[in-house]
Amino acid sequence: MDGLREKYLSEIAAAKDEVALESVRLAALGKKGEISLAMQGLRDMEPEARKAAGAALNVVRDEVQSALAAAKSALADAALAERLKTEWLDVTLPPRPAPQGTIHPVSQVTEEVTAIFAELGFAVEEGPHIETDWHNFDALNIPAEHPTRTEMDTFYMARAEGDERPPHVLRTHTSPVQIRGMLKHGAPARFICPGRVYRADYDITHTPMFHQLEGLAIDRDVSMANLKWCLEEFCRAFFEVEGVELRFRASHFPFTEPSAEVDIRCSWAGGQLRIGSGMIHPNVLRAGGIDPELWQGFAFGMGIDRLAMLKYGIPDLRAFFDSDLRWLRHYGFAALDAPTAHGGLGA
Ligand code: DAH
């Protein structure tokens, strides 16, 4: 009995961790443990001897059991103390800064379309938001009495009393940038003009300020076929789906002849995108200082906000300009996710 006792008490004292301690417990008190087996052996003894041996074994068993329990809790305390040494936390430190700003979907989509058209060789042109009547209308073959002027719900700037010149306007489309680009660069030319435009209109799909993307290409023998290819290529890259369904429909714009509207069915977004386009009208080329006998070109215009709504499934245009932080956090893009044609264009 004494041997048994000494053996296990010293093994318990020597156990370095809870795993080692557990194997000592099994060796002594497990089903096949030495002390357990000894207790089972009592059955074969004479009653007198069994009584004495049984009592002594009980004492040994109790001693080993309580030594095990004491060692176990000592080891658990030591393990905890060790962990706490490495897992401390300085609660007086300020919190780590959470990313705060996001890129607005309009900015993101503007970057995306710019990247796509850059691949196709288009530069970027910009123009003023407060535009002359001439650039916004006349130069685009929209004379004073043309119905387009009233259809566009134009915001007019004020003129001084007695000044009879036509007032400046908040540009109603990005098309005046066509004229500015032509006057600046001459032909050949290939550029897009993304930017803000303004019309007095407000409902779920209209806001008084919105964004358009204009594009044009002028060269010696540009045709509707080039226009079609270019828009198809753009839609495939932008929506990142093969086999985009495009439908060209005869239409009318004062600044193009012939004119076509392109309907793009975005079944995945449950919506439709409409692109205005056509061959640049000779009068428009002339206004841009380009000889229509020598040059021809195509042009197109589309809504950037609409592109964003379709690609990213944003239902209400008005929310774009509410500056609601919850909306911006939900629909915004991380600042470092700059879109590139090679790196992926969003989503
Ligand atoms: N400027 C037109 C608008 O605001 C859009 C447009 C249509 C632009 C046809 C174009 C074009 O360049 O060729 O509704």
Side-chain angles (χ1 to χ4, degrees), residues 8 93 105 113 127 151 200 277 289 304 343:
Y8 285 111
L93 284 176
V113 299
E151 277 161 26
S277 68
I304 292 182

Side-chain angles (χ1 to χ4, degrees), residues 133-346:
D133 184 79
W134 184 80
H135 284 92
N136 196 80
F137 295 122
D138 299 86
L140 291 162
N141 202 31
I142 311 173
E145 302 311 322
H146 198 281
T148 300
R149 291 208 180 203
T150 42
E151 277 161 26
M152 278 189 166
D153 300 311
T154 312
F155 286 113
Y156 292 94
M157 310 297 287
R159 279 274 183 215
E161 189 104 32
D163 188 338
E164 293 306 319
R165 290 173 304 168
H168 282 26
V169 299
L170 288 180
R171 67 179 184 196
T172 56
H173 48 179
T174 42
S175 302
V177 190
Q178 287 191 21
I179 304 297
R180 292 183 176 275
M182 287 185 220
L183 290 170
K184 192 160 133 197
H185 300 294
R190 214 188 300 175
F191 55 81
I192 55 165
C193 340
R196 290 185 168 183
V197 299
Y198 305 84
R199 292 182 200 178
D201 211 350
Y202 189 72
D203 61 36
I204 188 169
T205 52
H206 297 90
T207 47
M209 185 280 292
F210 59 105
H211 300 80
Q212 281 190 337
L213 175 77
E214 193 82 14
L216 67 72
I218 298 171
D219 216 316
R220 300 234 178 237
D221 55 359
V222 168
S223 72
M224 289 291 278
N226 302 128
L227 167 68
K228 189 166 183 241
W229 179 86
C230 189
L231 292 180
E232 277 172 358
E233 199 60 22
F234 164 72
C235 291
R236 199 169 303 135
F238 180 75
F239 290 111
E240 296 175 290
V241 284
E242 283 300 320
V244 191
E245 252 183 278
L246 299 190
R247 181 177 63 182
F248 278 69
R249 193 159 43 76
S251 183
H252 177 265
F253 299 103
F255 26 87
T256 44
E257 182 58 39
S259 305
E261 272 185 274
V262 190
D263 299 320
I264 297 145
R265 202 198 333 247
C266 309
S267 41
W268 64 93
Q272 228 193 35
L273 178 68
R274 188 162 292 174
I275 305 178
S277 68
M279 298 304 293
I280 303 172
H281 195 288
N283 289 349
V284 175
L285 287 171
R286 260 190 291 271
I290 290 171
D291 184 353
E293 299 297 326
L294 301 176
W295 304 95
Q296 53 193 163
F298 67 72
F300 56 85
M302 64 186 99
I304 292 182
D305 319 271
R306 186 95 187 112
L307 286 171
M309 289 169 81
L310 286 170
K311 181 164 177 180
Y312 296 113
I314 311 174
D316 187 343
L317 177 65
R318 291 168 298 194
F320 274 62
F321 310 117
D322 284 346
S323 297
D324 185 326
L325 277 177
R326 293 165 302 177
W327 187 91
L328 288 167
R329 285 192 191 112
H330 183 77
Y331 288 112
F333 293 82
L336 294 176
D337 288 349
T340 57
H342 56 275
L345 292 162

